[in-house]
Amino acid sequence: MQDRRLAVLGAIVQDYVSTSEPVGSKSLLERHQLGVSAATIRNDMAALEEDGLIVAPHTSAGRIPTDAGYRLFVDRLLAIKPMSRAEQAAIAEFLSGAVDLDDVVDRTVRLLASLTRQVAVMQYPSLTRSDVRHIELVPVGETRLMLVLITTTGRVEQRTIEVAREAVADEDLVARLRAGINATASGRRLGEAAAALSVLPDSFAPSERDVVRRVIGALDEALIEEREERVVMAGTANLARRPGDFPATLEPVLDALEQHVVLLRLLSTAEGGQQHIAVRIGHENPVTGLQSTSMVTTGYGTGGDLVGGLGVLGPTRMDYPASMAAVRAVAAYVSALLTQ
């Protein structure tokens, strides 16, 4: 009996998501092979309503899922249906055209918004979770060196350093300094790299230590300088296309979306690994303005390390299986792209 009622709940969720109309017992019998009579369906619907899983929105005979009904539906999904090969190929082709990290982030949110017709959000890779991939040191002019820091998450920081003319002209010194910095810092977390580099000047001749300290000082700024975490968003217009899915006005939702601190906190649900999909439904959201919405998020990273979160936000009348599949697939391709 419990399995049958779960099947009825699943059918109500699917029909309501696709039609936006309350679902009655007659339409369930017409659209789904449930193998029972109309009276049995009505009894099951009454039991589901008593359990708070469906509700009558007005005097019609139809019912719609509650937040609890959506939650049980999502929790009982046996598996997330993978996207088709054509969809996966389109995702890979679109993201592979990115030229830098900013382009990766921009393409990701636009792609997610297009695939799901929801609002897509993505957190920039966190510097605190990034490792040093490479550090370049290049003479630019007679008295300047250009320092370029590249992290494993694709972020790039540049600094220009004023040094003595003799140091710039000394190709051997620049080469040894570049090699020493990379040998010390590459593969380390940014904070660890800054600490390890503090003793590097001692390995150079006294006459060379001034330029080494200047370069290390500039690198320290790039490694440990605090930066505001960033969130990028696309697809806000998708909300306006579905005004009937919100209780009164979109204003509280739009106000909450403007607060990046709020979005960063919600993206923290992406913790748990790159295969973990977190779903917050309606009143499960801690932000009052977003309690008429649902959010599907996951983490992305390089190798086995998470460096940020991404996901979609939309009304609770959401196609959860499709949204979860899209978020998981896009996160996997972003992770692979950053690793490369």
Side-chain angles (χ1 to χ4, degrees):
M1 184 181 298
Q2 186 66 20
D3 288 344
R4 190 184 69 236
R5 287 177 180 169
L6 287 173
V8 171
L9 174 64
I12 292 172
V13 170
Q14 292 173 38
D15 285 1
Y16 181 60
V17 167
S18 64
T19 68
S20 77
E21 296 293 333
V23 182
S25 58
K26 182 180 179 180
S27 62
L28 286 177
L29 285 172
E30 292 172 350
R31 296 172 183 163
H32 302 274
Q33 301 297 321
L34 296 172
V36 294
S37 67
T40 301
I41 295 293
R42 286 194 292 271
N43 288 337
D44 287 341
M45 292 179 70
L48 291 170
E49 187 170 12
E50 186 176 342
D51 290 341
L53 301 174
I54 60 175
V55 66
H58 41 71
T59 56
S60 74
R63 300 293 185 270
I64 65 174
T66 62
D67 288 356
Y70 285 124
R71 167 50 61 195
L72 183 59
F73 172 76
V74 169
D75 289 346
R76 293 303 180 99
L77 283 176
L78 297 178
I80 302 174
K81 184 180 178 181
M83 306 190 79
S84 69
R85 290 189 176 181
E87 290 172 324
Q88 294 180 39
I91 292 171
E93 181 179 1
F94 185 70
L95 292 180
S96 65
V99 297
D100 56 23
L101 180 63
D102 291 336
D103 198 16
V104 169
V105 174
D106 179 66
R107 284 172 179 255
T108 298
V109 291
R110 287 192 289 120
L111 176 63
L112 261 180
S114 175
L115 288 172
T116 63
R117 296 184 178 87
Q118 314 287 358
V119 179
V121 292
M122 181 176 180
Q123 173 189 8
Y124 259 78
S126 171
L127 281 174
T128 60
R129 301 179 186 179
S130 300
D131 296 342
V132 176
R133 173 172 287 169
H134 182 71
I135 298 168
E136 191 54 68
L137 195 62
V138 184
V140 286
E142 295 183 347
T143 60
R144 291 182 179 180
L145 293 173
M146 172 68 77
L147 180 73
V148 183
L149 164 67
I150 305 171
T151 73
T152 51
T153 54
R155 295 182 74 154
V156 178
E157 297 290 331
Q158 298 183 19
R159 295 289 187 277
T160 301
I161 311 156
E162 290 284 347
V163 296
R165 186 188 304 267
E166 296 78 12
V168 176
D170 191 338
E171 295 181 4
D172 177 64
L173 172 59
V174 173
R176 284 187 291 114
L177 180 51
R178 182 191 302 114
I181 289 173
N182 278 290
T184 304
S186 293
R188 293 178 181 263
R189 285 290 165 94
L190 300 192
E192 297 172 358
L197 286 167
S198 63
V199 298
L200 186 62
D202 297 338
S203 63
F204 285 78
S207 60
E208 299 171 333
R209 289 175 186 170
D210 180 64
V211 65
V212 175
R213 290 191 182 99
R214 286 177 178 269
V215 172
I216 298 302
L219 190 54
D220 279 346
E221 291 180 5
L223 288 170
I224 65 176
E225 182 182 70
E226 291 187 6
R227 294 170 182 81
E228 181 184 4
E229 293 287 359
R230 294 174 58 192
V231 174
V232 177
M233 184 166 49
T236 306
N238 288 328
L239 296 178
R241 297 188 181 101
R242 301 174 62 177
D245 286 329
F246 298 93
T249 172
L250 275 174
E251 187 174 351
V253 178
L254 297 176
D255 287 345
L257 290 177
E258 289 181 358
Q259 302 176 47
H260 282 196
V261 173
V262 168
L263 294 178
L264 282 168
R265 189 165 75 246
L266 293 176
L267 286 171
S268 68
T269 61
E271 298 292 348
Q274 294 179 31
Q275 294 300 311
H276 175 68
I277 305 293
V279 182
R280 280 187 171 177
I281 300 172
H283 286 79
E284 295 173 358
N285 283 309
V287 182
T288 303
L290 296 179
Q291 290 183 349
S292 61
T293 70
S294 290
M295 193 168 189
V296 179
T297 60
T298 191
Y300 69 92
T302 54
D305 296 327
L306 289 179
V307 297
L310 59 82
V312 296
L313 179 143
T316 55
R317 190 178 71 85
M318 174 188 292
D319 186 341
Y320 291 96
S323 296
M324 294 164 73
V327 166
R328 184 176 65 177
V330 171
Y333 281 104
V334 169
S335 298
L337 194 59
L338 291 180
T339 300
Q340 292 169 8

